[in-house]
Each structure stands twice: as structure tokens, then as C-alpha cells.
Amino acid sequence: MDVLQKLTFRTLKLNPKRTIVTIIGIVLSTALITAVANMSESFRESLIAYEKSESGDYHYRFEGVSQENRKYFEENRNIEKLGYVRAAGYGLFEESQNPEKPYLYIYAMDENGAAAAAIHLAEGRLPQAPGELALCRQAVSATKGAIGVGDSLELVTGYRDGGEGYRLGPGNPYYKDEEQFRAQDRQRYTVVGIIEQPGNLDYVSFGSYSACIWLDAENCKEPADLYATYTDKGLQNRMEVTAGLMGISPELYQKYSYMEELTKEEREQVSQISSNVACNIWLLKWQLMLFSGGAQRMLYGMAALAILVIMAASVFCIRSSFAMALTEKMRMYGMISSVGATKKQRKRLVHLEALALGLWGIPLGILCGILASAVIVGAIGGLMEFVVEFTLVFTM
């Protein structure tokens, strides 16, 4: 350790009050900057978690993919995980005491498919084997307590005939006197769970309640909807990745995604792998910050303004602590100049003192900022969840 270093540390030790005040100023300024950045990131992660909960944990949905075409998705290195969902059709819900909804619309799905479809458990668990079924809460209420978790439910499965063999789907309103139910099979299920009404599957409000059963994705021979979650690299090249999965050029996919008019040949190319492709747009927006230039400038501008205000206040706060000992420092600098210290060496003395103070103040400030953010998120998060049903997630 050279003379200047010894002199720096000796000066800090001989002026404990000034040293402590300066470190506190550094801690406060660092903590405020850390808290602003941490709260911004926590809010963004909270919105991502909210979108996953409400619209599903996936990036792109490929509808009606056949068994032979699923290999293109399962073997793609740009896909992190896949969820499988298949519409299994109608079941005659004889236990329902609601004459406007005499059916169950059944979805088969695996574990990832349930997360992608934003299925929320209210009681019990999700189906994990053949013969297990989960009913939505409204369906259970419609039975007036006749059906619950652990009960057995026998369903006549089939389709709704709207006349002349025209099959009605979940988007068709229910008219008792204008349609018939065509039975095809009979299945017995054990009710293992109660779920909230799914909000992003289909128009199940017309004539039916929702139910889900287990899907064996490996052995499913019928076309299924694939919910794909991309890797970080895949998201950065999402246009090319999605186009490749559809077996078309990126230019054609861009034309399709922008809903431009397609020729007959182009429509055939687009639908050769999947009948329809949709993206989870708001999840993508928050994960990749895909907002308009004006919105991004506003978000970044607000954060930058807050940090600039904090930095300006910090400069004055720390400067004042140095100003308190200005006379003493001038005497010290004059003394070391008289013994031959150069201007460069005097600057080094100032930098060493700032470095020593920063090595104490900055780590403590970061730690305090993180702790403060965690406390604020915990306090505000509980209130927000109670008032607006929005969960604030803390992240570093």
C-alpha cells in the first residue's frame, strides 16, 4: 500500500461523521435508483404473469394440426414447450337443472395444454388419466349439489344436429325446438376437480358448460390444437420460426398475419399444416416490449426522468458532505503539494476516496433498494389483489 492510499484511509478514519454521512448519501441514492428499476421490472413481470393467467401460457396457437405434422413442432429447437388441446365434443348433461344449458362441451388436454388454455382449479385436481373429468364451477352449481369432486358421472356423448345433418358448434346458440342431440357413445367419468369457466377456448356460453378430460398427446390420432411457447431465440426470430412451422415463406406469413388478401393458392399453402394460427399478442407485447414508438418513449422517458431526478438530488447530497470538510481538505491538498505531490497524484487521492466510499455505499444501496422494493411490492400487491384482483409479482 503506497503513501496516498494510507493517507486516504487515514483521512476517512479521522473523520467518521463525514464518512458515515457520505456513505449514507450514496446508499440512499443507489437504493432509490435500484428501487425504481426493480419496481419497473416487477410491474412488467406482473403484467406478464397476468396475461399468462388470463389468456394462457403460450406464444402461438396452431389449430387443427394432424398427428403426422406434429413432429415438426416436437422436434423444433425454437419451441420450449408444447401444450395439446382437442375439442372432444358434446356430452348430454342430464344432471343440469338449467334448461338453457343441457350440454357439456368437453375439451381434452395435457398438463401444458391446461396452462395454455388458462385453466384455473377451484377444487380438486386436473384429470391425469382416462376416465377422469373436471367440471367448471357453473356446471356444478347447475346440478344443485348433485355432483361434486369424487362423484361418478355418466355422459352420453355425440353432436348437436341443427337439421339436415348440419352439426352445431359451441358458437351456435341453443334452440331447444330447432335442434336434436345425436348420441354416438356413452362414457363414465370420475369428477376429480372443479375449474373456473375457461375464458379463451371457445363460445361455450351457448347451451353448454365446460369440462375437460385428460389427453394422451403421444397417442392422440385426431387433429389437435398446439399451443407453442418459444425459446428466447425463437421469440427474437418469431416470424421466421412461425413461417417455418407452417411450411411457408416469411413473406407469406407476414401477409397472412397482417390479414391481407390472399390468393387461392396462398390460402392453400397457409392451411397445409394448421387450419389457423393465432398469437398471444399481449403476452408477446409485454415480454418483448412490442409497443408503438410513442408508448415506448413515454415508458422509458418516465423511468429516465425519475432516475435523473434521483441522481441530481444525490449529487447535491453527496457534494454537501464533501463541502463540510472543504477547509480541511484544502489544507491537506496544500500539505501534500508542498512535499512534491503532482496534480495527477492529488486527483488520484480524490478518486481513491470516492472508490472507498463507493465500495461501501453502492452494495449496501443495492441491497436496501431490493429490500425496499420487496416490501413495497408485498404491501401494495396485497391491496391490489384485493381491490382489482391483480397480483403484483416481485422480481429482481
Side-chain angles (χ1 to χ4, degrees), residues 1-9 345 348-349 352:
M1 184 180 295
D2 61 21
V3 176
L4 288 178
Q5 288 178 322
K6 290 180 180 179
L7 182 60
T8 300
F9 295 134
Q345 288 175 321
R348 185 183 171 199
L349 181 63
L352 281 172

Side-chain angles (χ1 to χ4, degrees), residues 168-285:
L168 300 175
N172 296 114
Y174 171 66
Y175 297 108
K176 180 178 180 181
D177 299 327
E178 299 179 16
E179 64 177 79
Q180 289 183 317
F181 185 77
R182 304 296 185 184
Q184 293 179 310
D185 198 3
R186 184 180 293 270
Q187 298 283 339
R188 180 171 291 277
Y189 296 99
T190 299
V191 179
V192 296
I194 299 173
I195 60 175
E196 302 295 344
Q197 178 74 33
N200 68 334
L201 284 173
D202 242 327
Y203 314 99
V204 291
S205 59
F206 293 126
S208 60
Y209 297 103
S210 294
C212 64
I213 59 175
W214 179 71
L215 175 65
D216 183 2
E218 293 184 2
N219 300 312
C220 178
K221 298 180 180 180
E222 297 85 357
D225 296 344
L226 302 189
Y227 291 75
T229 299
Y230 289 5
T231 62
D232 292 339
K233 184 178 179 181
L235 279 179
Q236 297 302 321
N237 302 286
R238 58 194 178 280
M239 296 287 285
E240 292 79 6
V241 172
T242 307
L245 290 168
M246 296 173 68
I248 58 177
S249 67
E251 293 75 20
L252 179 55
Y253 173 68
Q254 184 174 3
K255 190 176 178 181
Y256 167 78
S257 62
Y258 290 163
M259 293 184 290
E260 297 179 13
E261 188 175 353
L262 303 177
T263 65
K264 181 180 179 181
E265 182 180 354
E266 288 174 333
R267 286 196 297 269
E268 290 175 353
Q269 291 180 36
V270 165
S271 60
Q272 61 183 345
I273 300 293
S274 172
S275 60
N276 185 48
V277 179
C279 66
N280 195 348
I281 184 61
W282 279 102
L283 180 60
L284 288 175
K285 278 181 178 290

Side-chain angles (χ1 to χ4, degrees), residues 24 29 48 50 53 65 113 165 175 184 194 277 279 281 314:
I24 290 174
S29 61
I48 290 173
Y50 175 79
S53 175
V65 180
Y175 297 108
Q184 293 179 310
I194 299 173
V277 179
C279 66
I281 184 61
S314 303

Side-chain angles (χ1 to χ4, degrees), residues 81-389:
K81 64 180 179 180
L82 280 173
Y84 295 80
V85 177
R86 183 179 68 85
Y90 284 99
L92 191 59
F93 193 30
E94 297 175 343
E95 287 78 3
S96 174
Q97 297 187 29
N98 181 359
E100 300 298 322
K101 293 190 175 186
Y103 306 120
L104 288 177
Y105 196 73
I106 305 170
Y107 289 94
M109 59 187 67
D110 66 351
E111 184 178 356
N112 288 339
I119 300 295
H120 301 292
L121 268 174
E123 184 180 344
R125 60 175 176 83
L126 291 173
Q128 299 174 352
E132 295 182 344
L133 177 140
L135 285 172
C136 73
R137 186 195 297 272
Q138 292 86 340
V140 174
S141 299
T143 67
K144 305 296 184 182
I147 296 292
V149 174
D151 291 333
S152 180
L153 179 64
E154 188 170 2
L155 290 177
V156 176
T157 57
Y159 64 93
R160 294 164 58 191
D161 185 352
E164 300 180 357
Y166 176 71
R167 295 194 179 194
L168 300 175
N172 296 114
Y174 171 66
Y175 297 108
K176 180 178 180 181
D177 299 327
E178 299 179 16
E179 64 177 79
Q180 289 183 317
F181 185 77
R182 304 296 185 184
Q184 293 179 310
D185 198 3
R186 184 180 293 270
Q187 298 283 339
R188 180 171 291 277
Y189 296 99
T190 299
V191 179
V192 296
I194 299 173
I195 60 175
E196 302 295 344
Q197 178 74 33
N200 68 334
L201 284 173
D202 242 327
Y203 314 99
V204 291
S205 59
F206 293 126
S208 60
Y209 297 103
S210 294
C212 64
I213 59 175
W214 179 71
L215 175 65
D216 183 2
E218 293 184 2
N219 300 312
C220 178
K221 298 180 180 180
E222 297 85 357
D225 296 344
L226 302 189
Y227 291 75
T229 299
Y230 289 5
T231 62
D232 292 339
K233 184 178 179 181
L235 279 179
Q236 297 302 321
N237 302 286
R238 58 194 178 280
M239 296 287 285
E240 292 79 6
V241 172
T242 307
L245 290 168
M246 296 173 68
I248 58 177
S249 67
E251 293 75 20
L252 179 55
Y253 173 68
Q254 184 174 3
K255 190 176 178 181
Y256 167 78
S257 62
Y258 290 163
M259 293 184 290
E260 297 179 13
E261 188 175 353
L262 303 177
T263 65
K264 181 180 179 181
E265 182 180 354
E266 288 174 333
R267 286 196 297 269
E268 290 175 353
Q269 291 180 36
V270 165
S271 60
Q272 61 183 345
I273 300 293
S274 172
S275 60
N276 185 48
V277 179
C279 66
N280 195 348
I281 184 61
W282 279 102
L283 180 60
L284 288 175
K285 278 181 178 290
W286 284 113
Q287 283 191 326
L288 300 176
M289 296 301 289
L290 301 177
F291 295 100
S292 66
Q296 288 201 32
R297 284 194 295 272
M298 182 188 71
L299 291 172
Y300 293 142
M302 290 175 63
L305 179 61
I307 291 175
L308 284 174
V309 169
I310 292 169
M311 289 179 67
S314 303
V315 167
F316 284 105
C317 176
I318 297 170
R319 179 182 177 277
S320 64
S321 67
F322 280 96
M324 289 189 300
L326 182 60
T327 304
E328 179 186 342
K329 282 186 173 294
M330 292 299 293
R331 187 185 303 117
M332 182 183 69
Y333 294 149
M335 180 184 66
I336 63 175
S337 296
S338 66
V339 295
T342 65
K343 183 177 181 181
K344 184 178 180 181
Q345 288 175 321
R346 293 196 301 272
K347 282 186 177 180
R348 185 183 171 199
L349 181 63
V350 175
H351 293 160
L352 281 172
E353 183 175 344
L355 178 62
L357 293 169
L359 287 175
W360 278 98
I362 292 174
L364 286 173
I366 293 173
L367 180 61
C368 290
I370 292 172
L371 291 175
S373 298
V375 172
I376 293 171
V377 167
I380 298 178
L383 182 62
M384 290 182 67
E385 189 171 2
F386 176 75
V387 176
V388 296
E389 297 183 355

